[in-house]
Amino acid sequence: MGNGKRAMRLSHPRLSKGLCRAQRPVSVSDLLTHERVSWIICLTFQESAVANFFTPASQKPKERTIWTERGPNDDVPATLLVGRYVPQGHDERQKPRTKIAAFDLDSTLITTSSGKKHAGSGTDWKWWNSRVPGVLRELYLEKGYQVVVLSNQAGLTLHFDASYKGPKSSIQKRVSTFKQKCSAILGNLDIPVSIYAATEKDIYRKPRIGMWNEVCEDYDIRASEVDLKNSFFVGDAGGRMAGLGHTGEGASPLAKDFSCSDRNFAHNVGIAYMTPEEYFLQEPPRKFHRDFDLANFPFSDAAASKKDDVVFEARNPQELVIFCGPPGAGKSTFFWKHLEPLGYERVNQDALKSRDKCVRLAKELLLEGRSVTIGRCRRLPRRSGSI
């Protein structure tokens, strides 16, 4: 066959016995008219595919993106997917870089090549703008930045609850497709870079800063050493309001952002924020809106000088207080402000990492006659279609 292809024909096992006695070469017509033929299968292989199949694993190119999974603590399944790309010949003993250039993924670095909202396969992607890969390489190779990608990926599920009874294959395929796509993206950049994907509504999901903390730990950067002044985050979820954009062809409508989580994430970390249009295309900032902004509720001098009302008081010689709520709800703040001055001891799973350690410490403190508070983060239920 032409085009570098070879054909291999497999016949029914019973066929060989009748034809091996033939006095002349067996033709295709013989196969098709032989009374014992039940079926014929034709398989076509690319020569390169055949060669790759028989290539020893030791001689195949090394996969340069290493994937790991992490969880908020030891008692819950992993919810953070991390892919770290290390170029060939890179020396990882280099001094840690304290300037961090962080980017969102979808609609910031890439978009779908099909034009659909969500990628249909691991190859359905293209750069958001042709400038993107060059800018990222320049940040690392010339400007001394550590480049990372921080993305909320609620559509991915790393582990199923024991009670889950639905189909799993299509959901598991999403993770494989995501890894395939990201490996191609990082390989195209070919600089030391990591991608972090938060799959649940926990400490890793933006605008919470769990992924940022993982970055600092992975690259051996102390929080106090990060160059916050020169570090920045670029993402499309900036809370921008709908309006009109002006191009060479006139005005065009601009949709509002689905969220303000990227802008709020940068604010929580303490670094500068830009949209992809501002950073890559140097467009002027658009007006934005936060659903809740503390800047709109300043404390007056009168309120600051007013003595706080008593919000908690001990009514028994020994008490057990249990806090339950999502990250950022104010559990720790309430303890340090109102309970710690009253002599309460704190048992916190975020600090101790496991439920067994919390139970053991709480029992010891209660047996000693102490009043105890127990803090536990409550994982929010997943909503279908959430971002």
Side-chain angles (χ1 to χ4, degrees), residues 260-334:
C260 196
S261 58
D262 287 340
R263 188 185 298 272
N264 291 341
F265 168 80
H267 176 83
N268 291 340
V269 173
I271 57 179
Y273 166 78
M274 289 165 281
T275 65
E277 289 82 2
E278 293 167 16
Y279 184 72
F280 292 113
L281 307 181
Q282 288 75 53
E283 293 185 3
R286 285 167 49 189
K287 292 182 179 180
F288 69 92
H289 170 74
R290 286 188 171 101
D291 291 335
F292 178 78
D293 193 341
L294 285 175
N296 297 328
F297 303 91
F299 290 101
S300 64
D301 293 338
S305 61
K306 183 179 178 180
K307 185 177 180 180
D308 291 339
D309 294 332
V310 176
V311 296
F312 185 90
E313 59 182 6
R315 298 181 179 180
N316 301 285
Q318 185 181 25
E319 293 182 331
L320 174 63
V321 179
I322 299 177
F323 290 103
C324 184
K331 301 182 296 296
S332 297
T333 300
F334 189 91

Side-chain angles (χ1 to χ4, degrees), residues 5 14 33 79 88 94 114 116 127 163 175 205 225 230 248 255 261 276 337 347-348 354 362:
K5 298 180 179 179
R14 293 182 298 171
T33 58
T79 60
Q88 185 174 4
Q94 295 181 10
S114 64
K116 298 178 181 179
W127 293 113
S163 59
V175 178
R205 182 178 174 83
E225 296 175 346
N230 290 300
S261 58
K337 186 174 182 179
V347 177
N348 182 264
S354 76

Side-chain angles (χ1 to χ4, degrees), residues 19 41 56 63 121 124 173 221 278 281 308 339 343 370:
L19 294 181
I41 302 175
E63 175 57 56
S121 67
D124 185 11
K173 184 179 179 181
I221 311 171
E278 293 167 16
L281 307 181
D308 291 339
L339 299 182
R370 308 280 192 89

